Amino acid sequence: PAAARRRPPPPAAAATKEDAMSSVAFKVMISNVRCEGLKHPVELRGDVDETVDAYVTFGWPGRGQKYNTKVIRNNRNPVFEDWSQDFYYSTRYPEQLAQRKLLVTVTDWNRWKSHKLIGVVEIDLKTMATGPIRHDLSVLAQNGDVMGRIRFDVEMQEVVRNMKLELFDVMLPNWIPNATPGAKVCVECSLSARPEDRILTTLLPASVVPTWPRTKPLKLSIDVNDLLDYGFTFQVHFVVNKKTVPFLRGSSFFLDMVSKTQPIKTITIPLKMTSDPNQQAGNLQVTAKITNGPRFLQILDAKAVHNDKGIMSKKGRSSDYFPLPPGGIIGEDAKGTELEVDESDKAKIHSKNMDSEEKDDWLYEPRASSWKPEDDMIPLPRHWSMRKEGRAQFVRFMYRPTKQVTYQDPRGLPPGWTQCLTTNGKLYWYQKSTGGTTKTDPRGLPKDWDLVLMKTPNGCFVKRFIYQHMLRTKVDPRGLPERFSQHVTAQGKVYYMDHQEMVTTFSDPRTLMPKEMIAALAEDDIRKWMRVFWANAATLINVEKTRIHEEQQRLLKEKQLEFEHETKVREVDMKFANWVESKGTGWMKSADAFDKEHTAKLQKLRAEKEDLEKKLMGEIEKWEEEQMKKLREQKDKMIGAGKANLEKLAQSHGKTREKYLDERKQWIEKFMKEKKEIVGKMSKIYETEKKKLEEEFTKEKEAFNREETATSIQTEASIVEAKVVGEVQFAGVGVDVTGVVINESKG
């Protein structure tokens, strides 16, 4: 890792102008970081499990600083949702991207001790610049053990600087000569979303087939993703009497104008009439030459992912990632093989193109005419922010997770829907209840109709239009003429009602209508929905203003009452402080002296009590020892006399040994019985004497407690008398309390 962070050495040859021109810059954005199944480092030693407080650090090569996520406590599957980091990265040696590596470290945070490294992940920059956006890799410890998995997205878009586009042999092979006097024709090539960046040919007479051998070059500085999304637009202008009329139009994607093997490529662009986009009007043949173009292109397909096995493509969308619509952009993987993307996905990707059949350009129109300053009162959904641009106060809305902008207002959606933007700036809508996404706007549906996304067994989502919360169909009820309305039978069959003729039919009235007209009608339905939303929103704004004004007045009254109360409290405090300084100082001193004297008396009484208890316990122990000594002496005398009697009996009678032993045993048993009787009598005497001593001790203790209680009662009475005198003096009234009598027996 240390070697990866070090700046690579320059090439052996001296740096020249060509080396400086070979530098490359990238716009980098790291987001959607999450970990799964993390292990604590102590688990490698077989210790007990501990909590994991993980955070992730991204160490980008060539940059001094590191980017740390926040710490998520007590979670082995942390998800860093709101964290993202974007910056620009440039290098003079693009051929060394494979040697420079991004170091991703996962660390366990600790408040009192040093942080412990869980594992690391290394990815070279070339894989990120030419591979997929999404990475799903194993977190490896220093000994090679797998400590979990980490997933994150890295968008590494090359910033194309000074890209040069040149057009050669521009001609209209299907041109029909026009004999109008003074009529001329020219061709304009511009970037779709940046009309100011354009190439304009010279004017040639319209009476012949026009051909332009060469045009002026166009220089661009743009991000790769924007270049791929926008494409190029070609327009043929007809000039008569100094009036320019664009009447032919066509478009081409950037990838169609690039050749991997040759710097020059000839393309044929189909042209359509500007007044009628469905009418074909010949072709435009152009030879394009692009120099200083993009050299690195990521795989932006949502199915592609970089994991431990390499670069792979998943079938369908994975629910583990942030919900994105299906599809992607043609790119190259690390081996240089072209990914397969069907034409339908390709058309959806370039939806901003003027010739796209979806015709969703109206979504990107500025809302300058309808926007009002009061619109700011309505809160925006989560992750959205609003910007105003230009003197016309164009309003754009930015989606913070992807840092993309759009003119489409994210407010006014049905409940449960959220508007989002992909990393390429494409609009899609997310349904929270099902977790699915769609490119179909859920607004503008007629009454009793709802849009619901349903999950299929293979994990994909399909859109269904629900009628009266129970009947569903695939047919969109929007885009119908005003006289028609769409309904569904109980068997799920769609039929249409003509409100003018008052008849019903199963034939769709849109079958004979062109797609442009259907799209325009659907657009009108959505615009009506938005007009109703803003009309209701104005009422909501007035209600909110009234509520805010009332809340402000209420808070102002509360503040005034609090101020008056604090003023009164300060006055009382000042009076009390003045009294304490003037009259209460002497009383406080006398009370302190009395407390000290009383405390000394109590301590003296407690000491005398302890001495008396020790004296009594000593006398009791001394008496017990004397009694036990007398009992032992009597016992020894009795045993000695018994032994002497036994010896005399044995000698006088001359008995055998066995008979003697039997008699001795009997005598011992008799002696033991007598001994028990004597011990019982002595214990009774001992207990009687002990009870007498305890009763005497109890009586003396009660007398002592009575004296102490009387002393404490007299002390409390003195304190009460002092307090009463002080309170009465404070009130300014004199009362004689000498006649108060305290009943000591009741306390």
Side-chain angles (χ1 to χ4, degrees):
R5 290 194 296 268
R6 222 170 23 242
R7 183 182 178 90
T16 60
K17 269 190 177 182
E18 295 179 358
D19 295 332
M21 292 298 292
S22 66
S23 63
V24 63
F26 296 94
K27 182 181 178 182
V28 184
M29 179 178 177
I30 306 172
S31 60
N32 297 336
V33 183
R34 61 169 55 193
C35 301
E36 291 181 0
L38 293 179
K39 300 179 183 178
H40 198 275
V42 299
E43 296 180 18
L44 297 177
R45 303 193 301 266
D47 295 348
V48 295
D49 296 348
E50 292 191 10
T51 59
V52 177
D53 306 332
Y55 69 93
V56 183
T57 303
F58 292 86
W60 196 271
R63 298 181 66 86
Q65 67 186 67
K66 297 180 180 179
Y67 306 105
N68 298 329
T69 65
K70 62 182 181 180
V71 179
I72 296 183
R73 306 290 297 275
N74 194 14
N75 194 343
R76 293 179 180 268
N77 304 302
V79 179
F80 308 91
E81 293 180 349
D82 301 332
W83 184 88
S84 63
Q85 185 68 44
D86 54 349
F87 55 89
Y88 285 90
Y89 170 72
S90 61
T91 177
R92 292 176 56 190
Y93 312 106
E95 65 279 357
Q96 297 185 5
L97 289 178
Q99 286 78 31
R100 300 186 178 185
K101 296 184 178 181
L102 168 67
L103 181 65
V104 184
T105 60
V106 183
T107 311
D108 178 64
W109 178 85
N110 197 312
R111 181 184 294 275
W112 310 113
K113 300 179 182 179
S114 60
H115 306 334
K116 295 183 180 180
L117 177 66
I118 296 177
V120 297
V121 174
E122 290 185 350
I123 312 173
D124 61 279
L125 299 189
K126 186 176 181 182
T127 300
M128 289 191 293
T130 59
I133 293 178
R134 289 167 178 75
H135 302 271
D136 184 0
L137 300 168
S138 299
V139 180
L140 302 179
Q142 295 180 353
N143 59 356
D145 292 345
V146 178
M147 304 297 290
R149 299 195 68 80
I150 184 170
R151 296 178 179 179
F152 56 93
D153 296 349
V154 178
E155 295 184 27
M156 196 170 175
Q157 306 173 13
E158 182 183 359
V159 181
V160 181
R161 296 176 293 184
N162 298 325
M163 189 188 80
K164 192 175 181 183
L165 172 64
E166 296 178 273
L167 302 179
F168 302 90
D169 300 330
V170 182
M171 61 183 302
L172 299 168
N174 305 108
W175 178 261
I176 300 175
N178 194 324
T180 304
K184 295 184 179 181
V185 66
C186 67
V187 177
E188 177 185 358
C189 173
S190 62
L191 203 60
S192 298
R194 291 165 58 174
E196 65 274 11
D197 295 331
R198 63 177 184 172
I199 299 175
L200 190 64
T201 63
T202 57
L203 294 174
L204 293 180
S207 57
V208 297
V209 178
T211 302
W212 292 268
R214 189 169 184 175
T215 62
K216 292 183 179 180
L218 173 64
K219 293 184 178 181
L220 295 172
S221 294
I222 189 173
D223 296 347
V224 172
N225 286 358
D226 295 340
L227 185 64
L228 295 175
D229 288 347
Y230 295 157
F232 292 90
T233 301
F234 293 87
Q235 295 187 30
V236 180
H237 299 277
F238 193 76
V239 183
V240 180
N241 297 330
K242 296 183 180 180
K243 293 184 179 180
T244 304
V245 179
F247 71 104
L248 295 179
R249 189 168 191 165
S251 62
S252 175
F253 301 145
F254 173 77
L255 294 176
D256 297 334
M257 303 172 65
V258 178
S259 176
K260 298 180 181 179
T261 58
Q262 299 178 359
I264 299 176
K265 185 178 181 180
T266 302
I267 57 175
T268 301
I269 303 167
L271 299 177
K272 296 181 181 180
M273 298 293 295
T274 305
S275 58
D276 187 6
N278 294 327
Q279 184 178 354
Q280 189 73 21
N283 299 321
L284 175 66
Q285 188 173 339
V286 177
T287 301
K289 180 182 179 181
I290 297 178
T291 55
N292 296 332
R295 288 167 284 180
F296 300 91
L297 180 63
Q298 281 187 301
I299 304 172
L300 301 182
D301 186 3
K303 303 175 184 178
V305 63
H306 173 223
N307 55 22
D308 298 333
K309 298 180 181 179
I311 297 176
M312 293 189 157
S313 178
K314 293 185 176 181
K315 295 182 180 180
R317 287 186 294 123
S318 174
S319 60
D320 297 335
Y321 295 113
F322 191 81
L324 292 174
I329 296 179
I330 293 179
E332 290 184 358
D333 57 13
K335 298 180 181 179
T337 58
E338 187 171 341
L339 298 176
E340 295 181 1
V341 179
D342 56 358
E343 293 298 326
S344 61
D345 288 342
K346 186 176 178 182
K348 290 179 182 178
I349 294 161
H350 300 277
S351 57
K352 284 188 181 180
N353 187 9
M354 297 302 295
D355 290 334
S356 175
E357 295 182 358
E358 295 185 3
K359 290 293 178 184
D360 58 354
D361 290 339
W362 63 274
L363 295 175
Y364 300 90
E365 294 178 359
R367 195 169 56 85
S369 58
S370 61
W371 178 80
K372 298 177 182 179
E374 290 81 3
D375 294 352
D376 295 342
M377 296 288 293
I378 302 177
L380 288 167
R382 187 185 178 190
H383 301 311
W384 284 91
S385 60
M386 183 166 57
R387 295 180 180 178
K388 303 171 189 176
E389 299 180 354
R391 294 181 179 179
Q393 288 187 333
F394 286 165
V395 180
R396 294 202 306 173
F397 302 91
M398 185 179 75
Y399 188 57
R400 289 193 293 269
T402 58
K403 302 295 180 67
Q404 297 293 333
V405 294
T406 179
Y407 291 109
Q408 181 70 354
D409 199 326
R411 296 171 286 190
L413 288 167
W417 286 90
T418 305
Q419 180 175 305
C420 306
L421 281 170
T422 66
T423 53
N424 302 327
K426 304 299 182 182
L427 275 169
Y428 70 97
W429 287 266
Y430 170 70
Q431 191 176 32
K432 187 176 180 180
S433 59
T434 60
T437 57
T438 179
K439 288 186 178 180
T440 303
D441 195 334
R443 290 173 285 201
L445 291 171
K447 186 180 179 182
D448 298 333
W449 284 91
D450 294 312
L451 177 61
V452 176
L453 300 178
M454 304 181 68
K455 194 170 185 179
T456 59
N458 58 0
C460 299
F461 286 91
V462 293
K463 60 183 178 182
R464 292 292 182 267
F465 298 93
I466 307 297
Y467 181 64
Q468 294 181 351
H469 305 286
M470 56 186 299
L471 304 173
R472 63 190 183 192
T473 178
K474 299 180 181 178
V475 184
D476 195 335
R478 295 172 294 189
L480 286 168
E482 293 184 359
R483 53 187 285 188
F484 286 93
S485 63
Q486 182 175 312
H487 306 273
V488 182
T489 64
Q491 291 76 21
K493 192 172 182 179
V494 180
Y495 70 95
Y496 304 88
M497 178 179 288
D498 189 347
H499 297 277
Q500 184 174 347
E501 300 294 337
M502 298 304 295
V503 295
T504 59
T505 178
F506 287 107
S507 301
D508 193 340
R510 296 171 290 191
T511 53
L512 301 179
M513 296 170 57
K515 294 181 179 179
E516 291 77 10
M517 186 177 295
I518 297 174
L521 292 174
E523 177 185 343
D524 292 339
D525 292 339
I526 298 177
R527 290 186 185 277
K528 289 178 183 177
W529 173 285
M530 293 300 295
R531 281 197 293 271
V532 172
F533 167 74
W534 287 114
N536 297 332
T539 306
L540 295 175
I541 291 171
N542 294 331
V543 173
E544 184 67 16
K545 286 182 178 178
T546 305
R547 188 190 65 78
I548 292 173
H549 180 70
E550 293 177 353
E551 186 69 17
Q552 289 177 350
Q553 294 295 328
R554 186 183 65 81
L555 293 175
L556 182 60
K557 290 181 180 179
E558 290 181 358
K559 291 291 184 183
Q560 290 177 352
L561 292 174
E562 289 179 2
F563 178 75
E564 293 175 358
H565 177 70
E566 290 178 358
T567 305
K568 293 179 180 179
V569 171
R570 289 196 197 96
E571 292 177 357
V572 174
D573 291 343
M574 290 296 294
K575 289 181 180 179
F576 179 75
N578 294 333
W579 175 84
V580 170
E581 290 180 359
S582 60
K583 297 181 178 181
T585 307
W587 176 79
M588 293 295 290
K589 289 181 179 178
S590 62
D592 292 340
F594 181 79
D595 289 341
K596 291 179 181 178
E597 183 180 356
H598 175 66
T599 303
K601 288 181 179 180
L602 288 177
Q603 290 178 354
K604 185 178 180 181
L605 290 173
R606 290 194 185 96
E608 292 177 355
K609 178 183 175 182
E610 291 176 356
D611 294 340
L612 182 59
E613 288 178 352
K614 290 180 181 179
K615 186 177 180 181
L616 290 173
M617 292 301 296
E619 291 178 356
I620 291 170
E621 290 176 356
K622 186 177 180 180
W623 181 84
E624 287 178 351
E625 289 179 357
E626 290 177 355
Q627 294 296 325
M628 291 299 295
K629 187 176 181 180
K630 290 179 181 179
L631 289 174
R632 290 192 198 97
E633 291 177 353
Q634 291 178 3
K635 179 182 174 182
D636 293 339
K637 288 180 180 180
M638 291 175 67
I639 292 171
K643 287 181 179 181
N645 291 333
L646 285 174
E647 290 177 358
K648 289 178 181 180
L649 288 172
Q651 292 175 2
S652 61
H653 296 287
K655 297 178 181 179
T656 60
R657 180 176 180 79
E658 292 178 358
K659 189 176 180 180
Y660 170 76
L661 291 176
D662 292 337
E663 290 178 357
R664 182 176 181 273
K665 184 176 182 181
Q666 292 175 1
W667 185 88
I668 289 173
E669 290 177 357
K670 183 180 178 181
F671 174 77
M672 292 302 293
K673 287 181 182 180
E674 293 176 356
K675 177 184 176 183
K676 286 182 180 179
E677 291 175 359
I678 294 171
V679 171
K681 291 178 181 180
M682 295 302 295
S683 60
K684 287 180 181 180
I685 295 170
Y686 172 78
E687 289 177 359
T688 304
E689 294 296 328
K690 186 177 180 181
K691 284 182 181 180
K692 289 180 181 180
L693 290 172
E694 288 179 352
E695 288 175 359
E696 292 176 359
F697 176 79
T698 303
K699 289 179 181 179
E700 292 179 359
K701 188 176 181 180
E702 288 177 356
F704 175 81
N705 290 336
R706 235 181 269 114
E707 292 176 2
E708 185 178 5
T709 303
T711 306
S712 61
I713 290 172
Q714 186 176 2
T715 304
E716 290 177 0
S718 302
I719 294 172
V720 171
E721 181 180 357
K723 288 185 178 179
V724 170
V725 172
E727 291 177 358
V728 172
Q729 288 179 358
F730 173 75
V733 180
V735 178
D736 186 10
V737 294
T738 57
V740 178
V741 178
I742 297 173
N743 192 346
E744 297 181 359
S745 63
K746 294 184 180 180

